Structure formats: structure tokens, C-alpha cells
Amino acid sequence: MTTPPMVAFAGQQAQAVRDVNTASLCRIGQETVQDIVLRTMEIFQLLRNMQLPNGVTYHPSTHQDRLGKLQEHLRMLSVLFRKLRLVYDKCNENCTGLDPVTPEQLIPYVEDDGSSRHNERSASQARPATEERREILEVNKKLKQKNQQLKQIMDQLRNLIWEINSMLAVRS
């Protein structure tokens, strides 16, 4: 006796739902957030294009169409927020057994409390952190210099374009 294809498919789908890991849930959550942002931008676009009934003649059918689209976007937005809440709850449920790691523990930090009694182990750990901090500061300094150079180039291009437009305007 064989199982019908629909029953086998439903069993595979149920197994796939159980095998969803936290990383794929986070990806689904990210896609959901992107959809929420996209829908919100579309709502603002619709609102910007809607005309207020301020004495100007407008077509009621066009207004009703836009209103219907707006209500559909708002309904989809609420569905997406519910989906995001489900993903968030499932991720929290999957991560309850993990030891929480604070962000401060992930950042190499050197405490300078003024005490001179550092053992060799803490001193050897502090050196890479201070060297890394120094490298980061150097990179930030170089980045600021490059940003300044780019700003100067953009200003020069803006002035050049302004002068070209001025000459074209005077010519015609």
C-alpha cells in the first residue's frame, strides 16, 4: 500500500517546518523587514500622489482606487508585522538555552585603572588590543583624510558644472 502524493508532500512539509534553524529564521526576518520597508515606501508614495479635496475637481473613481490600494497596503503591512513577531518569538524560543554574551565581552577592551601589578598574561593580552586600537585609529585618520579629499573633488566638480551651466546660459 503506497501513500498518496499529497499525504507524502504534507509530511515532508511538516518535517521542513520542524527543521528550520535560527539562521534561516533570521534570514526570513530580514526579508520580512525589507518587505515592511518596501510596503511603507509604497504607502508614502500613494499618499504623496493623492490629491486633497480642496475645491479642485477630482475623480471619485480614481480616489476610490487609490484608497483601496492604500487599504490593501496597510492590511499587508499588518500581516508582515505579525509574521515578523512570529519569527522574533521563534528565534527567542530557539535561543533560550544559550548563554547570553554581552556585546562588551566581544569587544577587546583594556582597562587602565592605574595599578602597576599586571601579570604577564594580562599584559600579553593587552598588547594586541592596544595595537589593534592604534591600527583602528590610524585607519580612521586615513579615512577622514580620504573623505576630505573626496569632498574637495566634489566641490570642484560642482563649481565646474556651475560655471559650464552659466556659460551655456549666457551663450543662449
Side-chain angles (χ1 to χ4, degrees), residues 29 41 73 78 111 114 119 128 149:
M41 288 173 49
H73 282 301
S78 65
E111 291 186 23
N119 59 14
Q149 289 174 352

Side-chain angles (χ1 to χ4, degrees), residues 8 26 29 32 34 36 52 58 61 70 77 102 105 108 112 121 130 139 143 149 163 170 172:
C26 289
T32 305
Q34 289 172 349
I36 288 171
L52 295 176
Y58 67 99
S61 62
L70 181 64
L77 200 59
T102 61
Q105 292 174 337
D112 188 21
R121 184 174 174 193
T130 56
V139 168
L143 185 62
Q149 289 174 352
E163 290 173 4
V170 168
S172 60

Side-chain angles (χ1 to χ4, degrees), residues 4 16 49 69 91 122 125 135 144 149 153 156 161 169:
N49 291 336
K69 286 180 186 178
C91 283
S122 65
Q125 289 176 348
E135 289 174 7
K144 285 180 183 179
Q149 289 174 352
I153 291 171
Q156 290 172 354
I161 291 172

Side-chain angles (χ1 to χ4, degrees), residues 70-85:
L70 181 64
Q71 289 173 346
E72 176 65 23
H73 282 301
L74 289 173
R75 188 186 64 75
M76 282 303 297
L77 200 59
S78 65
V79 168
L80 288 171
F81 272 111
R82 283 194 296 263
K83 179 181 175 183
L84 185 63
R85 184 60 171 177

Side-chain angles (χ1 to χ4, degrees), residues 11-104:
Q12 291 172 352
Q13 193 174 22
Q15 181 67 25
V17 169
R18 279 184 263 147
D19 291 342
V20 175
N21 60 7
T22 307
S24 61
L25 281 174
C26 289
R27 183 183 49 79
I28 292 169
Q30 178 184 3
E31 291 170 358
T32 305
V33 168
Q34 289 172 349
D35 288 344
I36 288 171
V37 170
L38 181 68
R39 289 285 180 170
T40 305
M41 288 173 49
E42 289 175 359
I43 287 172
F44 284 124
Q45 184 69 28
L46 281 171
L47 289 174
R48 186 177 356 155
N49 291 336
M50 278 187 152
Q51 293 180 352
L52 295 176
N54 55 2
V56 178
T57 59
Y58 67 99
H59 301 285
S61 62
T62 305
H63 180 72
Q64 288 299 323
D65 289 342
R66 289 182 179 168
L67 187 62
K69 286 180 186 178
L70 181 64
Q71 289 173 346
E72 176 65 23
H73 282 301
L74 289 173
R75 188 186 64 75
M76 282 303 297
L77 200 59
S78 65
V79 168
L80 288 171
F81 272 111
R82 283 194 296 263
K83 179 181 175 183
L84 185 63
R85 184 60 171 177
L86 290 173
V87 168
Y88 173 78
D89 291 340
K90 186 66 177 173
C91 283
N92 276 344
E93 179 184 312
N94 288 348
C95 295
T96 53
L98 299 176
D99 293 329
V101 177
T102 61
E104 289 83 14

